[in-house]
Amino acid sequence: MLLTVLGFYGGYPHNGIGTSGYLLQNDDKNLLIDCGSGVLNALANYMQPTELDAVILSHYHHDHTADVGVLQYEWLAAKKNHLLPIYGHTQDFVNYAQLTVENATQGIAYNDFESSDIEGLKFEFLRTVHPVPAYAMRITAKDGKVIVYTADTTYFDGLVDFAKDADLLIADTNFPEDVTGRKAHLNTKEAGTLAKQANVKRLLISHLPQTVDAETMLSQSQKYAGDIPVVHAFQGLELNV
């Protein structure tokens, strides 16, 4: 599996770089995980958006879905002979219903009770702790390699088992270590600790803040991750798993 970071900021784009979006390629299939603001332009550097095989959305906050509408317009304009599947949860049915656009895209529901086979990859979902329903993803390839994406979440114990022994953990790391208490995202201490407790092979911190230097976020996360290699997201970063 090849993961390419298309956007990594939380909340809003910054300095020409978009919010959450990751291109996952495996066996000639192109999957887009989240589709935040600015992601479609970044994707166009690698392929035509109409070459996507599927989109998987963790939740419906705008920094993860802002470019879905324009992606649907592009598919309409291209007059493709098949629909683009967009996977989403049904805990917010109003937003879920908008994933289907006639002659362009088809919304497909996932849940946390059973896995979904999406273009040859096994997707498992876990409801996270966030102000709106959001789902982490555990993605397993046929060769056994695993990517876990926490999506947006504060820390909770279930994340450790869900991320256990992953080859790559993509962790929502929106706060430095001194931000504690009730919050909607992980801080650097929690991201690094999660990686260590789950015994993952690599940690990618993403959903980064615009107001804290990425190297500071990296050094703090590395401190708590111990010997586990940590990298911070940047646009165009490619990771082979």
Side-chain angles (χ1 to χ4, degrees), residues 89-236:
H89 68 72
T90 58
Q91 300 303 305
D92 178 346
F93 196 76
V94 172
N95 277 300
Y96 173 74
Q98 294 179 30
L99 303 183
T100 297
V101 170
E102 187 176 0
N103 297 321
T105 60
Q106 176 66 53
I108 300 177
Y110 64 71
N111 60 65
D112 51 358
F113 302 110
E114 58 186 351
S115 62
S116 297
D117 183 287
I118 303 176
E119 300 298 336
L121 294 171
K122 179 183 178 182
F123 276 73
E124 297 168 278
F125 299 91
L126 176 70
R127 176 90 177 249
T128 68
V129 179
H130 198 54
V132 301
Y135 288 82
M137 306 175 193
R138 184 179 177 96
I139 307 161
T140 306
K142 291 178 181 178
D143 63 3
K145 294 296 182 69
V146 173
I147 296 173
V148 171
Y149 172 43
T150 69
D152 285 11
T153 186
T154 191
Y155 185 86
F156 66 102
D157 290 340
L159 284 173
V160 175
D161 285 340
F162 193 70
K164 199 70 174 176
D165 299 325
D167 295 279
L168 174 66
L169 171 63
I170 308 167
D172 164 22
T173 314
N174 199 226
F175 298 118
E177 61 184 333
D178 60 350
V179 177
T180 59
R182 187 174 181 178
K183 50 188 172 43
H185 304 276
L186 302 175
N187 65 22
T188 51
K189 178 179 179 180
E190 291 165 332
T193 300
L194 171 62
K196 187 173 184 178
Q197 290 180 338
N199 191 39
V200 305
K201 292 183 176 62
R202 278 189 290 178
L203 170 62
L204 170 64
I205 59 170
S206 194
H207 204 274
L208 298 175
Q210 295 81 357
T211 56
V212 182
D213 181 70
E215 294 301 324
T216 298
M217 299 290 287
L218 176 63
S219 63
Q220 290 181 7
S221 299
Q222 186 68 73
K223 176 172 61 174
Y224 295 103
D227 294 334
I228 295 167
V230 183
V231 63
H232 68 74
F234 58 85
Q235 192 176 54

Side-chain angles (χ1 to χ4, degrees), residues 35 65-74:
C35 189
T65 63
D67 276 8
V68 170
V70 288
L71 174 60
Q72 291 170 320
Y73 289 157
E74 185 159 355

